[in-house]
Amino acid sequence: MHNEKPDTRTKIIETTADIIGREKNLNMTIRDIANKADVNVASVNYYFGSKDNLMAEVQLLLMERIRSLYDNLGNSGLPVTERLIDWADSLVRHLIEFPGIIYLIGTRVLERSNTGLDLYLKLLETEIFPLVKDITNADDQTTGYKVLHLISGLVYPVLIYS
């Protein structure tokens, strides 16, 4: 078994992602992050220069984790409905484990800053929309509403649960 420790930069990013994701804490200090990552404060400043730069990196990591949940949607070996159910199940499980992702995205939207949502919305358009259209045989507008309903039905319960 390969047991390699992550480098300091990666350790800081993953620790911050964990704090945001699991603890829903967007107000942590660099000192909090350094303590949890078991690194010195200077390391955080050295690798990222500011908390905002670190948060941007963490946001990219969190969005990449969500993006990876879409990988199995193209598996033509499974029926369309099974692919959608597997994706929905994976997304809900991920959001329950890391509910802070929703808070981070919501905060970024309210601040009108770059959220990474453009990638997520593109995935809905290119990956989910065609599958929902295939299942429902609906026109594009109705399919769009059905996709919105599907996403709302997945995210809302996680918000209530967390």
Side-chain angles (χ1 to χ4, degrees), residues 118-160:
D118 51 340
L119 169 66
Y120 182 70
L121 294 173
K122 188 70 172 167
L123 286 168
L124 290 177
E125 181 183 323
T126 61
E127 302 293 331
I128 302 299
F129 186 93
L131 297 179
V132 171
K133 187 167 180 72
D134 185 41
I135 292 169
T136 64
N137 293 315
D139 61 81
D140 286 353
Q141 184 175 10
T142 303
T143 301
Y145 289 132
K146 290 181 181 290
V147 170
L148 179 62
H149 188 235
L150 174 63
I151 295 302
S152 299
L154 296 173
V155 173
Y156 183 73
V158 174
L159 284 172
I160 298 304

Side-chain angles (χ1 to χ4, degrees), residues 90-118:
S90 296
L91 180 62
V92 168
R93 287 177 189 276
H94 184 70
L95 292 176
I96 286 172
E97 186 175 355
F98 299 101
I101 294 169
I102 296 170
Y103 292 97
L104 176 65
I105 293 170
T107 300
R108 295 289 193 234
V109 167
L110 292 174
E111 293 172 347
R112 299 184 191 276
S113 60
N114 182 10
T115 60
L117 277 180
D118 51 340

Side-chain angles (χ1 to χ4, degrees), residues 19-72:
I19 291 170
I20 292 169
R22 294 182 197 275
E23 299 176 18
K24 297 175 273 189
N25 182 355
L26 301 178
N27 297 317
M28 82 291 272
T29 65
I30 288 179
R31 186 169 304 286
D32 295 334
I33 295 164
N35 287 339
K36 263 224 158 127
D38 197 26
V39 300
N40 62 45
V41 173
S43 294
V44 178
N45 291 321
Y46 172 78
Y47 286 107
F48 302 100
S50 71
K51 183 178 169 189
D52 286 341
N53 291 342
L54 170 59
M55 294 300 282
E57 294 271 345
V58 168
Q59 186 175 320
L60 289 173
L61 173 68
L62 293 173
M63 293 309 289
E64 174 54 31
R65 287 179 181 172
I66 287 177
R67 193 220 49 80
S68 71
L69 298 174
Y70 287 75
D71 289 347
N72 289 330

